[in-house]
Amino acid sequence: MEFEGCNCFRQRLVLSTLSGKRVKIRNIRSKDDNPGLRDFEASFIRLLDKVTNGTRIEINQTGTVLFYQPGLLYGGSVEHECNVQRSIGYYLEALLMLAPFMKTPLRAVLKGVTNDPTDPSVSVLKRGMAPAGGGEVLFTCPVRRSMKPVHLTEPGKIKRIRGTAFSVRVSPQMANRIVDSARSILNKFIPDIYIYTDHMKGASSGKSPGFGLTLVAETVNGTFLGAEVVSTPQGQGDPVLPEDLGRNCAKLLLEEVYRGGCVDSTNQSLSLLYMTLGQQDVSKTLLGPLSPYTVEFLRHIRDFFQIMFKIEQQKPGEDEQKGGEKVLMTCVGAGYSNINKTIK
Amino acid sequence: MEKKEQKRHQHKHSGPKADKKNRKKEQGTEPERDERKRNPRAFSVQSAVRMAKTFHRTQDIKTKKHHIPLVDRTPLEPPPVVVVVMGPPKVGKSTLIRCLIKNYTRQKLSDICGPVTIVSGKKRRLTFIECNNDINSMIDLAKVADLVLMLIDASFGFEMETFEFLNICQVHGFPRVMGVLTHLDTFKNNKTLSKTKKRLKHRFWTEVYQGAKLFYLSGMVYGEYQTQEVKNLGRFISVMKFRPLVWRTSHPYVVADRMEDLTDPEDIRLNPKCDRTVSLYGYLRGTFLKNKCQVHIPGVGDFSVADVSFLPDPCPLPEVIKKRALNVKERLLYAPMAGVGGLVYDKDAVYIDMPSGHGSQQQEVRPTTELVQSLIGTQATLDAKMAASKVSLTCLMFSVLIVRKQNPMESREWDERAQRERRRAVFADEDDDDDDDDDGDGEQESDEEEDEEEDDEEDEDEEGVTTLKKHDKTAAETAAPPVKKQKCEVPMEMPAFADSDDELEKSEEDESEEDESEEEEENEENEEMEEGEPAKKSSGPDSGLCSEDDDEDEEEDSDTDEDGDGTVKSKMSSKHPEEENIDTDDAEMEVQNGHNLEDLAQKATEAYLRHQLAAPNLRKLVYGTVAEKEEDDSNDEEELGGLFKVNRPEKSKKVRADAMDCSRFQPDNSHDWDQEEVRSSIRDCFVTGKWEEDKDAATLLKEDEELYGDFEDLETGQVHKAKTGNKDQAEEAPQVKLDDDEVQKNKRLEKKRRLKERFDAQYDDGDATYFDDLKEEMQKQAELNRQEFEDVDDEIRVQYEGFRPGMYVRVEIPALPCEFVTNFDPHYPIILGGLGPSEGNVGYLQMRLKKHRWHNRILKTRDPLILSLGWRRFQTIPLYYIEDHNGRHRLLKYTPEHMHCGATIWGPITPQGTGFLAVQTVGGIKASFRIAATGVVLDLDKSVTIVKKLKLIGYPYKIFKNTSFIQGMFNTVLEVAKFEGASIRTVSGIKGQIKKALRTPPGAFRATFEDRLLMSDIVFLRSWYPASVPQLYNPVTSLLMPVGQKETWAGMRTLGQLKHDLGIRNKPNQDSLYKPVVRQVRHFNPLHIPKELQKALPFKNKPKQMQAKGKTPRDLQRPAVVREPHEKKVAALLDALSSVYAYKNKKARAEQHAKHKEFLKQKEKQEAERQKRMKEERKKTYRAMGQKEKKKLKSSLKGASKDN
């Protein structure tokens, strides 16, 4: 299969690995001043190479054309120094998609930037802010032979909100200020809020200063909606006040609640992937409005697995006040089974 | 012998005895009934251990019966059951199929060639396939068979093929097997017949399972089996149940019953060996088939499907299920390869067969026949063929649309071709007419051509005209009327042609055909659309939008977006205006529908529209419209991004290719959460908000009170009555009486359900096991699977689900080798086996393998072997290994005789747990039992883990106590460095370690040992060397072989075969030859004892000085005697005398000996006589004694009796 441009780079490589189809990507930033693959993408390819066996990668001189022939997912113990241009979340999102289909359970130690404004954060062993990084994450995942069909159609009502306000290499007071401002908004909806403050010191605080807030709303039916905001990296852009940050984050969470669904907007694609790779049964998931990333992902799923989702819009009722429109995604799984796992 | 009739016992009916008994009976019934109570000791616990054991055993047996519950994925209308009739040649396979077909359909089929599909019952269809005596066909058919009829010649007994086939079946999931014994009429003797039957039955049972069905066909009547017996067999087949097999439920497959070459004749003319595009037809089985998937055709290779489309069922089940049996019209038969359904395949031509006997019937029953007929002209050009097929297809489609509200895919294919013309002609009636006329003309022409050609052929073949061909000719002649009829229908079809790429518009047009005024309106609408007026009316049925329309829509969207920037609405909600448009359009449609509601086609449209409304723009947003997708497909998918282009808003278009790869979804214009109304919009998402009616705590409480409200307080005597909601409702009742009843009913139902749930939870679910839960879950899933897409139109459904099993599909495959077409033989099965994701790749497979116990040779590593794995048959080079206790995979030179071993091959990636079998050749029969090995795939990898034992040998060249310098093991210092610290050993068992490399000679090193070495010792280092598996993957292309030579495929030869064929004798290594062992005699030095020690020794141990005997002294030497002549004479005389004496003596002794022998003989004789005499005498005396005794006994008895 052939693609153009570096958009959805991860999706393409991950789906190619899962489906076993080789991929050729042309014109990667060919019109750019700095053409070719960036360092973080190269680092991502290296990570893929580490968790697979028999992968063939060919990149041309300028890095504008990539040929990727996937091998078998191997797993095992992996240690990877992630590039600091993107946070570990960038790499981890892809690993999350691959991890259940490995030969041996994955135990990955990723080192690099744990929190930055573009990618999802991760809970950590050591925190490391952009731009210098220095954080560390341990990710383990067991392997499965096949996935069960997913049925997530009832998000339920939110019963509690939890969160973590973190600060590294700045005053520990920052976290408290964030918490106060966030609570000021959220308290109007629900009283059960608890936001931890997490101030890391010394070796576990990484190399750059920064702070941020992660909020998670948990519903009665056990679904989670998350939101997070991280301060801008040191020396890039305007500095942020912790109060503003807390308020923004709380509003983001409310936005997420408004969108609703059983999965929050960043993880839509993951849940859709697991639906696709299930057995040949009908899976259903209720999502909020599809993010552009998810839309791209759906198209890629169709290209790689020939699976189309039935997309039904659910409008909120007249008197209900449950936020915006929801989307009910339905599909029949591809009947995928983990061909990497050994049987004895 | 005879028994005396005895008087029976008379029970007393009255009197004290009877009373007593009655009393006892009355009392005794109770305890007697319960054994445990009556005899408690017998049931008491004797041994706790034994009790535990029995309990465990019963539990074990119980759990063994469980199978892992699977989701039931059988389709509602299952594909025909594949019945493979298998047996050695001349056993009666074709006869049996013919008889069965006659039994089911009352039709006679002369030549069984290719699969034959029939309707056998109200819910079942059968596809009969004859398996010829070729291991390739046997393997392929075992993979697709649902039922195997295994024919056995009883007069001969079992043949090897039967067992081979059974073993093949066993490996690829055991289908149902039914044995059929034929040739039973050859037995003259009844006893031998029954004996043979029994013998064969028991052998069959050991192979299949105890009690497997074996059917007896006793004899032939007029070349057919007896009707009653065939009928019975048919009944068995039609009630048989089948179990799902893992491989087949997870892979789609098609047993092709029709093949067509679609290649451009011009290309073939230019290059007869060019790759062909072929379409294959057949029922889809197994699981969902996706478009553009990879398939494997066993015997040909891997191909990617260019296009899949579903056709109307050529052999449909009866639509209305009645109680009675099928009528004649419903007993359909479809066998295009055998010439039924319109075609007869000949070597160089295809004849159209139309039996004139019941022509009127056929027209009614199968329009598909016409379809088939028109689709295939022998040597008509492809275009003509296509055109012809299209016309008939659309005609067919039209009828189908009316009847079934579904559209065959073929229509789409036609659209692709005629799309451009169509676009031009959309709005004008005349153009349409013209088009149609043209088409019709073309068709007519082509038909005429066909006729002519056929005539020509007839002329050419004049000499060899057979009756069959005559029949064909007449058939062809009779075939003419229906064609004409088609032509008559053309004006009716017009609207179907006047049609764009979308199904919806098509149906719209259908309406328009019926209502002219409406049509005009629509035309006006369309014109408006063309002019690019505000799309308020135009965007109507959204799915039908072509790309321009989409663009318009998008522009409109963006416009509204821009307009509504300040508003709070998100991007999604900005779509609303368009939906409203649709709504209005829908209303319009409904108005139109009001005109002629009866029209079914319109209803179909309506249903379709409704569906489209349910899934409006999101689908389009994500996937683009269906039409566009097709366009893309036809554009050879070089621009996959292309379909995104159309729908994407302008701004994202710019950054599309190189956008930031981030999963975050930042809101464009987020809500202002400080405002109260915005905040209240998500109020209900929290537990603090309002709950739904059925989950609200207040209502739940109320309902509970209704259920359990009635109770009496015993202490106070107060009676609480439940407040029924009826009162409240009763007040409202006058307003909506009808509704009220409904509500009441629902409420009661709800109440009941709740009560039942509660009851279940209390009593039933208590002992519900995990297994039960799992089963229930599966059941639910199966139900959901069935329901989810039930009411969706097939055209759309196929896109979501893929083509579901049971559909009759047409699969187009490009780039097939030309031999597939030129050497096509319908007697060999063509199977399209779908491959899962990444099953088209090649890698290393680790498998568990065992040599088949009936194969008479063990297998050698690196000898090529033909494997049947998954759908595939391929030749590969396996390496055998065995797993050591530490997990090391050690290479074996040969497979073990009676044990499993591992094997690694380079082959197609196949899921673990898939079984395989191996044969050494597929051409000819060389081995007595061809299946060499069987096994299962364990693991897939891209690297190999097999190692081979390697011994490095070195020799000491200098020895210092326990340290030695060793040379000859390595060649360089570097090599030594690699092995520093490795343990080494001498042949005599002295262990040691490599220490360090020496500078000279290169490769020598210093090593230490636990003991001092000798210069004659050999030092060796045990190590493991990774073995590499040769990357040979050679699919068996038996279907590409010329007709008649299909079973002669030969791949790579083994080394042994090569040497044999080329006459090369192996020159063995001289060192490896066995020679007689010649041991050198060892000489030992004499024992030397020091003088001092000698002195100290006791005499006993002192070495005896055995000095050599010296020369005898002269005085001791005896002088020689020289005799005088007289003395000589005396001596000679004495000599003579003594010899005479000796002779005499000897003679006397011999005589004496003979005499003695004689004497002994006589003595023996006498003795024997004496013995005889003695015996007789003894006998006499004993007899006398016995008589005496008898007499005595008699007398005593007499005396005794007298005494009594």
Side-chain angles (χ1 to χ4, degrees), chain B residues 1045-1067:
Chain B
Q1045 298 174 29
K1046 292 204 194 270
E1047 51 232 56
T1048 58
W1049 188 89
M1052 185 177 169
R1053 284 176 287 182
T1054 61
L1055 195 69
Q1057 271 174 331
L1058 261 178
K1059 278 181 177 165
H1060 179 259
D1061 293 350
L1062 299 177
I1064 300 170
R1065 296 298 301 264
N1066 195 15
K1067 208 172 185 191

Side-chain angles (χ1 to χ4, degrees), chain A residues 146-149 277-283 331-336, chain B residues 68-79 243-251 284-288 777-779 781-786 797 801 803-806:
Chain A
S146 58
M147 297 297 244
K148 276 187 175 177
L277 298 183
Q279 287 156 347
Q280 295 203 315
D281 292 318
V282 170
S283 288
C331 82
V332 180
Y336 189 85
Chain B
I68 299 174
L70 288 173
V71 180
D72 177 25
R73 297 198 184 96
T74 49
L76 283 178
E77 194 170 306
R243 63 193 112 172
L245 305 175
V246 177
W247 176 262
R248 288 187 217 171
T249 48
S250 58
H251 291 83
L284 181 64
R285 297 158 213 270
T287 180
F288 299 108
E777 204 175 299
M778 297 295 175
Q779 188 99 34
Q781 183 65 48
E783 203 137 299
L784 185 70
N785 289 352
R786 291 248 166 79
R797 189 173 169 181
E801 281 185 325
F803 295 86
R804 63 180 178 282

Side-chain angles (χ1 to χ4, degrees), chain B residues 104-309:
Chain B
Y104 281 123
T105 64
R106 314 274 155 77
Q107 289 189 48
K108 270 190 180 177
L109 214 60
S110 54
D111 185 22
I112 312 293
C113 165
V116 179
T117 307
I118 57 167
V119 179
S120 72
K122 281 169 256 179
K123 283 179 186 169
R124 180 161 288 184
R125 292 170 290 180
L126 305 175
T127 297
F128 288 103
I129 304 178
E130 188 180 327
C131 175
N132 41 18
N133 191 34
D134 168 24
I135 198 148
N136 291 315
S137 304
M138 275 154 59
I139 289 172
D140 290 349
L141 285 175
K143 291 173 189 172
V144 295
D146 294 311
L147 168 67
V148 176
L149 293 182
M150 188 158 272
L151 264 64
I152 298 151
D153 185 349
S155 63
F156 184 83
F158 283 107
E159 286 170 61
M160 231 7 153
E161 281 84 5
T162 313
F163 290 118
E164 282 169 354
F165 192 74
L166 276 172
N167 274 290
I168 294 169
C169 284
Q170 221 156 22
V171 167
H172 295 297
F174 219 137
R176 287 267 170 184
V177 175
M178 199 149 107
V180 179
L181 283 187
T182 58
H183 295 262
L184 286 172
D185 46 353
T186 50
F187 287 94
K188 297 284 176 276
N189 191 347
N190 246 349
K191 205 172 177 187
T192 49
L193 173 68
S194 61
K195 256 190 184 171
T196 318
K197 271 186 185 173
K198 196 176 174 188
R199 190 167 45 83
L200 292 178
K201 185 173 75 180
H202 281 282
R203 192 71 195 83
F204 189 67
W205 283 5
T206 51
E207 276 314 305
V208 186
Y209 60 91
Q210 283 295 312
K213 187 72 202 160
L214 192 61
F215 214 87
Y216 308 112
L217 292 178
S218 56
M220 307 269 268
V221 179
Y222 298 124
E224 281 178 356
Y225 294 112
Q226 286 175 17
T227 334
Q228 194 53 45
E229 285 175 348
V230 172
K231 199 176 252 177
N232 284 344
L233 180 60
R235 264 184 212 146
F236 265 111
I237 293 172
S238 49
V239 298
M240 194 160 268
K241 280 182 182 147
F242 304 100
R243 63 193 112 172
L245 305 175
V246 177
W247 176 262
R248 288 187 217 171
T249 48
S250 58
H251 291 83
Y253 61 99
V254 175
V255 181
D257 55 13
R258 208 177 122 199
M259 191 276 285
E260 259 179 68
D261 188 7
L262 301 181
T263 326
D264 191 358
E266 184 60 18
D267 289 347
I268 298 176
R269 195 183 64 79
L270 290 174
N271 178 16
K273 298 230 181 251
C274 68
D275 279 356
R276 306 296 170 89
T277 308
V278 162
S279 68
L280 294 166
Y281 299 76
Y283 286 97
L284 181 64
R285 297 158 213 270
T287 180
F288 299 108
L289 175 74
K290 301 278 183 334
N291 215 337
K292 304 247 176 305
C293 70
Q294 285 259 64
V295 291
H296 179 83
I297 306 177
V300 186
D302 276 15
F303 299 95
S304 61
V305 171
D307 185 32
V308 186
S309 50

Side-chain angles (χ1 to χ4, degrees), chain A residues 93 228 280-281 322 341, chain B residues 287 663-664 692 785 912:
Chain A
E93 273 186 323
E228 58 160 339
Q280 295 203 315
D281 292 318
K322 284 184 154 184
K341 203 180 171 195
Chain B
T287 180
S663 62
R664 280 233 182 131
E692 284 89 4
N785 289 352
Q912 308 90 329

